[in-house]
Amino acid sequence: MSVPSRGAATRWLLPVVCLLFFGSGFAALIYQVVWLRSLSLVFGVTVHAASTVLAGFMAGLAVGSALAGRLKLDVRQAFVAFAAIELAVGATALLAAPLVTWMTASYAALGPRLPESMALLTAVRFVLATAVLVVPTSLMGATLPVLVSATGADPRMGARLSTLYATNTAGAIAGALLAGFVLVPSLGLQRSAWLAATVNLSVALLALVVRARVGATAPDTAAIPETAGGDAVDAATRRTVLWAFAASGFVSLALEIVWFRVLALHLRPTAYAFTIMLAAVLGGISLGSYAVAPFFRRPRPWLAVLASIQLAIALVALLSLNLVPWVEQVQPIVGPALGLIGIPEYVWPLVTTSLLSILPTSLLLGAAFPIGLRLFVADAPQGASQRVAAFYSLNVCGAIAGSTAAGFLLLPMLGSRGTLIAVSFVTLVSSLALAHRLWMSAPNVAGFLSIVGPVAFVMGSLNVIDPFDDFARRLHRNDRVLWLGEGLQTTVSVHEQRQGTKVMYLDGMHQADDSRPSRLTHHRIGALPMMLHPNPKRVLVIGMGGGATPGAAAMFPGAQVDVVELSADVVAGAAWFGHINFDLLTRPNVRLRVDDGRNYLLTTTQKYDVITADLILPNRAGATSLYSKQYFELVRKALAPGGMVLQWLGSETEADYKLIMRTFLSVFPETTLWGDHSLMAGTLEPYTLSASALEARRQDPAFRQVFDWDLRTLRRLYVAGPQALASFVGPGELLSDDRPITEYFLSRPDPDPPLNVEGLRGRFDDILRP
């Protein structure tokens, strides 16, 4: 095969390398979605567990980049190395599923032996997560330094780095959107990972083809010169740039935490909302990086430009949430335009809100990164890959620190408004540090930034809206906010409506209230299994809400109730509902544990007579973990002999109603249906109710003062038995951890018919015995 001339290589090499890097970024984001979700099923979705897994993921990227920077590769060797990396990523991805299975068993076995120490548990989670993620994520982190070597050392370093970074991020956007809207609901997690592995294989093969067509030396691009401009990139300036971008990594991830937490109030915490917000972050970064690439072809004062952009980031990020109220004015224009390109109407406000609040800051972050990278590698083109590796690694380390600090410290201590100001201030400081390096070469610019920057920041800080006040004013303008908690896990608020009803909201979604219908429903979820079980002593309630469900269960004589609630702020908010939860938090027979309920079931050795739950709606992000077959199997494992589980079936569409019921029946085939067709009582053996035993229990005055339900009440509540339920749902798919389709409701049939349960009826006498 003939080798093209160096001039010909100039025309095709960079576009082909960009194609490789696009595919690599595409696969990487699919893996991120798959692995982070899979590990959340093992470790739980508490902020401690999620932060641990994310830290393990990003630490691998940093380590891989740092190690790859030490390699000394010519162009052809770089393509071979890149191909090997992509093949290895695909191979380790195929091994991830059995590794997660092994890790689940190891964690389940180890959990009961650990003392109740959050620090120790976090360390164990980090070690296990790192064991699974360190190899593939380190390989992913190595790709950028290796591809820098693959394009050779030449004067167009800045434009090349900018284009590579933008293209990789564009691939990540495609991967995030495809995974979030198509792959996970249609293929499931495992097969989505297989698809990503196929992309890795294709990229590797293309890299080997390219390797065969290039010479061992760098392509000649000197015809389009690029210089560093008027900046003197000395060692002190390089160090300042490097630490400014460690701070930039901190800021970018901290901003994501704030944006996602605040915008979930307006957009609702669904899988689609988080996908669109992530795409807006990545889209801004990619577009910003692409936009700045052409400007590297001419000499410019890049240090002054970078200092100015950092100031702009500080100010734009500071006021980013001030743009959310504009959505109502912009939506009528943007929405129909989105509809013309086939975007579902449900997604319109998600896109509009994300574009207004997230995209401007992300554009600036995307423009700043290649400029900083250009300055850091400007005087060492032959050692570019080593410099790129160090720069990227420190930026990722900053991102780890930012996500951890925002979630664990800043939001609980300062709230979303205070966190936004604090994080933006970090970027202002980096701008001033860069301006300080300009005093010798551009004193006018340095003076302007040093004076105008702080003044503008102070003025902006005084005008930053309180995101929660804006949310309450726009969506609950007639309510009086009684209490607000912006904690580690979620934003919880308690409102009093005009008619006097108290309502609890979690991330803007209704969770509980003290109206009579809601009170009766939640009391029934707690009390019904206590009535149906002949002698319930140990009781587990997953989720707390306003506390009415566990409170009802705790009122029964002799019952010891364990409550597992994900958020400490929900626990604090439940104190406002003491009048309907029977002062749950002060009862001596109640033990509260702030933890992930599913994770508790995975690790506990305790057996329970009754397990019930106060759950979220099945279309919420992450809700499948409490409705899937694998969750019900964990519940079954925790049941004592003769135990009963009560499952709320919270779906108004026939497809999801039957899907969840069919899944529950697959684990508890001896299920009876009660109440308003929404309460499934599952047992391990065929259930029968003893009329005489119930009457004997009712003779206890302590029993009667709680819920004095006699046989007539239970007859009225009974709906159907296991044969009728099995006939109603028929054969079909089950809801699984691998394919959480209830969360991806846009993939369901349109229109999804409303629930029709008129024919679902059984005979109460079939379960009755003397």
Side-chain angles (χ1 to χ4, degrees), residues 554-607:
M555 290 295 288
F556 281 81
Q560 177 65 44
V561 180
D562 292 344
V563 183
V564 182
E565 167 54 48
L566 184 65
S567 169
D569 292 278
V570 170
V571 176
W576 289 87
F577 296 86
H579 56 295
I580 66 168
N581 65 32
F582 308 101
D583 292 318
L584 171 75
L585 300 176
T586 64
R587 297 189 62 83
N589 64 327
V590 175
R591 187 184 69 162
L592 174 67
R593 179 187 180 100
V594 178
D595 198 355
D596 180 278
R598 175 167 172 150
N599 190 251
Y600 175 76
L601 287 169
L602 177 65
T603 57
T604 188
T605 57
Q606 180 66 55
K607 300 296 182 182

Side-chain angles (χ1 to χ4, degrees), residues 170-212:
I173 299 167
L177 289 173
L178 197 64
F181 280 85
V182 179
L183 296 182
V184 173
S186 60
L187 298 181
L189 298 175
Q190 186 57 51
R191 288 193 290 176
S192 295
W194 293 348
L195 175 64
T198 303
V199 174
N200 290 133
L201 174 62
S202 302
V203 168
L205 293 176
L206 179 58
L208 292 176
V209 171
V210 174
R211 180 260 181 197

Side-chain angles (χ1 to χ4, degrees), residues 240-265:
T240 303
V241 170
L242 183 63
W243 288 107
F245 276 86
S248 179
F250 177 97
V251 167
S252 61
L253 259 291
L255 283 174
E256 280 191 40
I257 299 293
V258 175
W259 286 333
F260 286 18
R261 175 71 70 85
V262 171
L263 295 183
L265 296 172

Side-chain angles (χ1 to χ4, degrees), residues 166-494:
T167 303
N168 183 251
T169 307
I173 299 167
L177 289 173
L178 197 64
F181 280 85
V182 179
L183 296 182
V184 173
S186 60
L187 298 181
L189 298 175
Q190 186 57 51
R191 288 193 290 176
S192 295
W194 293 348
L195 175 64
T198 303
V199 174
N200 290 133
L201 174 62
S202 302
V203 168
L205 293 176
L206 179 58
L208 292 176
V209 171
V210 174
R211 180 260 181 197
R213 294 182 58 84
V214 298
T217 58
D220 182 10
T221 56
I224 309 177
E226 178 185 309
T227 67
D231 297 322
V233 188
D234 55 23
T237 299
R238 283 199 307 274
R239 285 195 299 271
T240 303
V241 170
L242 183 63
W243 288 107
F245 276 86
S248 179
F250 177 97
V251 167
S252 61
L253 259 291
L255 283 174
E256 280 191 40
I257 299 293
V258 175
W259 286 333
F260 286 18
R261 175 71 70 85
V262 171
L263 295 183
L265 296 172
H266 299 272
L267 306 179
R268 304 296 185 259
T270 66
Y272 297 115
F274 292 118
T275 297
I276 292 295
M277 288 188 280
L278 177 60
V281 172
L282 296 174
I285 290 172
S286 179
L287 290 173
S289 193
Y290 273 129
V292 80
F295 294 96
F296 286 112
R297 298 171 185 265
R298 293 178 178 274
R300 300 183 190 279
W302 287 117
L303 186 59
V305 172
L306 180 59
S308 302
I309 291 178
Q310 290 293 98
L311 175 59
I313 292 172
L315 298 177
V316 173
L318 183 68
L319 299 172
S320 57
L321 296 178
N322 283 42
L323 298 176
V324 173
W326 293 17
V327 171
E328 295 176 355
Q329 287 73 44
V330 177
Q331 179 64 38
I333 302 172
V334 175
L338 295 173
L340 292 176
I341 57 177
I343 295 179
E345 187 173 355
Y346 173 83
V347 180
W348 296 357
L350 310 185
V351 174
T352 305
T353 305
S354 299
L355 290 178
L356 282 175
S357 55
I358 295 175
L359 188 65
T361 306
S362 298
L363 282 167
L364 293 169
L365 287 168
F369 189 88
I371 295 174
L373 194 53
R374 168 70 183 88
L375 287 166
F376 191 64
V377 303
D379 61 343
Q382 298 300 327
S385 61
Q386 293 93 323
R387 294 271 182 95
V388 168
F391 189 92
Y392 180 70
S393 297
L394 202 57
N395 181 258
V396 172
C397 289
I400 296 172
S403 64
T404 304
F408 283 89
L409 299 175
L410 297 179
L411 275 171
M413 292 172 59
L414 304 178
S416 52
R417 182 179 185 274
T419 300
L420 192 62
I421 294 172
V423 170
S424 301
F425 180 74
V426 172
T427 307
L428 172 67
V429 171
S430 71
S431 173
L432 296 178
L434 293 168
H436 177 70
R437 302 303 311 165
L438 285 167
W439 277 108
M440 296 300 294
S441 59
N444 292 336
V445 175
F448 178 82
L449 294 175
S450 300
I451 296 172
V452 173
V455 172
F457 188 86
V458 170
M459 294 177 62
S461 299
L462 296 174
N463 289 281
V464 175
I465 65 171
D466 186 297
F468 184 82
D469 285 349
D470 175 63
F471 159 74
R473 183 172 56 253
R474 294 177 62 213
L475 301 181
H476 302 284
R477 62 188 57 177
N478 294 323
D479 294 1
R480 183 166 67 98
V481 179
L482 302 176
W483 180 83
L484 170 67
E486 289 187 277
L488 291 175
Q489 195 66 41
T490 187
T491 299
V492 182
S493 59
V494 178

Side-chain angles (χ1 to χ4, degrees), residues 722-761:
Q723 291 76 22
L725 299 183
S727 176
F728 175 74
V729 299
E733 63 181 329
L734 303 179
L735 184 59
S736 68
D737 291 338
D738 183 71
R739 190 163 172 254
I741 52 178
T742 55
E743 298 174 41
Y744 296 89
F745 44 86
L746 294 180
S747 65
R748 308 295 281 163
D750 187 23
D752 196 352
L755 180 62
N756 181 1
V757 293
E758 290 182 2
L760 188 55
R761 178 57 61 181

